Amino acid sequence: MKVLVIGGGGREHAMCWKIQQSPKVERVYCAPGNAGISKNAKCIDIQSTDIEALVRFAKAEEINLTVVGPEQPLARGVTDRFIEEKLKIFGPSEAAAQIETSKAFSKNLMRKHDIPTAFYSTFYDFDEAMNWVRDVKPPLVVKADGLASGKGAVICKTENDALETLDSMMRGKIFGDAADCVVIEEFLEGEEVSFIAFTDGETVLPLETSQDHKTLLDGDHGPNTGGMGAYSPAPVVGSELFGKIMDRIMVPVVRALREEGIRYKGFLYAGLMIKDSEPFVLEFNARLGDPEAQPLLMRMKSDIVPILNAVIDEELSGYKIEWMNQASVCVVMTSKGYPGDYKKGVVIRGLEEVENMDNVVLFHAGTAFKDREIVSNGGRVLGVTAIDNTIKDTIDLAYEAIEKLRDEKFYYRTDIGKKALTHI
Ligand code: AMP
Ligand code: GLY
């Protein structure tokens, strides 16, 4: 069969790498892809949000299965359009993707269906939001309702911080229309984990556990980013907590959506705060996490293609996923300056040496070809991903690899995976 992956980041590279290994697959395409993806798939020059061009391509090439990586095409209804054209596609519908594209939608759904999450209120009116902030105790988190590339949640330590943030979002329009509505919620202290499952709208089939590192600097300091590194498994999620997450969050939210008339099919990602061994939802995403995808797919033993098809066909019940017992760690190399301004077009040296290492895979995020060399082309550049028997050995291997790429124009955190060591 022929498979098309939509997107061009580290997550999509991991998807192409995994899908290409399926004996059922004869060809993988990726739109738009990147320099690294071109080793595992044929890259097509179509942007991931150009829905009509994607439909035309899938029809012309007789694509048997399309898999959506990022949230933007989901938000624009790529799934609904493909289904209209009788094309097979993996990813939630536009209505189902609201769980990510509208924080007010997802918080209201959780409140209505008793799914544990932080206390909150939603506002369309600036003065009402200001008055509410004056009545509650900081710290607070102010969130733009819509998509804001992972930058739409601001932790406000003081009342003044919260008022300034509200002003910049609602009046200053720093996120455009995405902050016409804001959610303000209680700040939760604890440890953050990612919990991702396949669901066909009825059965929820969880992936292994994983943990991201959202902030730029070591020790979880600095501004939020798309994710600076991830590992799997996450030892903080023992079997009891795993059960609570499934029983109180994952299964109920899929049921809740069904009760609201929405059948959710695709990856469902819960960003959770674990507080005193209890899970609370910070957000839902309608897709696989990036960089969580890299260590998760590296550990996945089962062929992913039959599972993707079972989700689409609503036949997920009875499926099991086999996982490697080993640990996997992904350290993200970024352009210096990210998540602020950074330079593109910097030549990346040492790639071949790392590619030749055993048990290490280089997943490309923002890379491109220039004069036959591979250059940086985004904020997150590479996800250096290792697999080994223990988390400690895996961390060492990932860092041995990334050190070979060291360059003053790039940056990476030096403590990815350290948190896991505190739990074993
Ligand atoms: P979100 O876009 O809602 O996932 O928020 C982005 C990041 O902000 C999360 O990954 C957390 O690190 C942090 N965050 C969001 N909501 C809260 C909260 N209620 N309490 C503490 N931290 C939060
Ligand atoms: N790693 C966080 C995300 O994919 O949203």
Side-chain angles (χ1 to χ4, degrees):
M1 61 192 282
K2 291 188 197 171
V3 181
L4 167 66
V5 173
I6 299 177
R11 165 185 47 216
E12 290 75 29
H13 192 180
M15 284 176 165
C16 289
W17 173 86
K18 181 69 187 160
I19 290 169
Q20 183 210 24
Q21 293 169 35
S22 170
K24 295 183 169 45
V25 172
E26 97 210 32
R27 187 114 208 230
V28 185
Y29 299 85
C30 189
N34 62 38
I37 291 177
S38 65
K39 289 201 171 162
N40 303 92
K42 184 169 166 40
C43 293
I44 308 298
D45 189 16
I46 301 175
Q47 289 310 303
S48 62
T49 47
D50 191 347
I51 312 289
E52 292 312 315
L54 292 167
V55 167
R56 279 196 299 276
F57 175 79
K59 280 182 145 179
E61 286 297 326
E62 297 179 349
I63 298 292
N64 308 97
L65 168 66
T66 297
V67 186
V68 190
E71 62 277 23
Q72 295 87 353
L74 295 170
R76 293 184 188 205
V78 68
T79 304
D80 311 71
R81 270 298 286 136
F82 269 57
I83 291 171
E84 245 171 54
E85 298 290 339
K86 305 213 165 14
L87 292 162
K88 219 167 173 186
I89 186 163
F90 177 93
S93 65
E94 186 179 345
Q98 283 181 94
I99 198 128
E100 170 165 8
T101 59
S102 167
K103 290 203 191 285
F105 172 88
S106 106
K107 292 291 286 190
N108 292 341
L109 185 79
M110 286 188 267
R111 176 149 66 191
K112 183 168 169 195
H113 295 269
D114 281 327
I115 294 167
T117 188
F119 173 74
Y120 77 101
S121 199
T122 57
F123 300 93
Y124 288 87
D125 183 79
F126 177 68
D127 293 324
E128 277 180 31
M130 283 211 313
N131 289 337
W132 195 80
V133 163
R134 290 196 179 111
D135 281 347
V136 294
K137 244 179 59 199
L140 293 169
V141 188
V142 178
K143 300 182 175 185
D145 174 59
L147 293 180
S149 313
K151 294 178 195 155
V154 182
I155 293 165
C156 303
K157 293 210 172 87
T158 63
E159 182 183 305
N160 223 20
D161 286 351
L163 295 177
E164 276 175 18
T165 304
L166 278 176
D167 189 61
S168 65
M169 283 192 192
M170 297 187 92
R171 288 174 153 183
K173 298 249 171 230
I174 52 164
F175 299 124
D177 298 348
D180 282 352
C181 169
V182 295
V183 171
I184 311 177
E185 68 180 35
E186 151 203 27
F187 175 82
L188 297 175
E189 192 99 52
E191 187 165 345
E192 228 177 305
V193 298
S194 309
F195 197 95
I196 305 167
F198 288 100
T199 178
D200 62 0
E202 187 99 38
T203 300
V204 179
L205 179 63
L207 274 65
E208 268 282 3
T209 56
S210 60
Q211 195 164 34
D212 187 11
H213 298 66
K214 292 252 161 107
T215 58
L216 183 69
L217 307 174
D218 283 10
D220 292 338
H221 297 296
N224 265 338
T225 70
M228 296 298 295
Y231 60 84
S232 172
V236 62
V237 185
S239 59
E240 198 184 326
L241 181 56
F242 194 102
K244 281 185 194 169
I245 296 170
M246 284 296 285
D247 296 346
R248 295 187 197 164
I249 294 168
M250 302 303 284
V251 172
V253 76
V254 170
R255 194 189 311 128
L257 283 161
R258 226 171 37 234
E259 283 171 24
E260 304 291 330
I262 295 173
R263 184 156 189 147
Y264 188 105
K265 291 160 59 165
F267 285 115
L268 179 62
Y269 167 133
L272 304 172
M273 191 64 92
I274 310 301
K275 192 180 169 197
D276 304 326
S277 305
E278 299 296 327
F280 295 86
V281 178
L282 296 179
E283 63 164 350
F284 283 111
N285 291 323
R287 53 180 170 79
L288 198 47
D290 187 348
E292 293 93 324
Q294 290 86 316
L296 282 168
L297 294 181
M298 204 139 153
R299 289 190 59 218
M300 192 173 181
K301 243 200 246 174
S302 306
D303 184 351
I304 194 171
V305 173
I307 305 173
L308 298 170
N309 277 321
V311 166
I312 298 171
D313 298 338
E314 301 175 7
E315 288 173 352
L316 194 58
S317 142
Y319 271 84
K320 283 209 169 71
I321 308 175
E322 273 192 75
W323 297 94
M324 294 185 196
N325 278 326
Q326 292 157 299
S328 181
V329 175
C330 170
V331 183
V332 173
M333 186 174 95
T334 70
S335 300
K336 213 167 231 167
Y338 170 82
D341 294 339
Y342 54 83
K343 250 172 83 178
K344 288 184 183 177
V346 178
V347 177
I348 310 166
R349 309 220 176 267
L351 289 172
E352 212 175 79
E353 200 186 337
V354 178
E355 274 160 11
N356 288 332
M357 288 174 74
D358 288 337
N359 301 321
V360 175
V361 179
L362 271 181
F363 291 116
H364 289 226
T367 67
F369 284 108
K370 190 177 165 197
D371 304 330
R372 278 202 249 139
E373 283 189 301
I374 293 184
V375 298
S376 62
N377 192 36
R380 293 192 288 178
V381 179
L382 291 169
V384 180
T385 312
I387 189 159
D388 210 331
N389 289 332
T390 66
I391 184 86
K392 167 88 180 59
D393 289 347
T394 314
I395 294 170
D396 291 345
L397 182 59
Y399 277 104
E400 186 190 323
I402 204 165
E403 269 158 31
K404 295 183 196 294
L405 306 168
R406 192 200 287 268
D407 184 308
E408 59 180 30
K409 301 209 175 64
F410 298 123
Y411 165 82
Y412 53 86
R413 269 177 69 157
T414 64
D415 65 345
I416 303 300
K418 269 205 185 131
K419 230 180 278 170
L421 298 175
T422 65
H423 291 286
I424 45 180

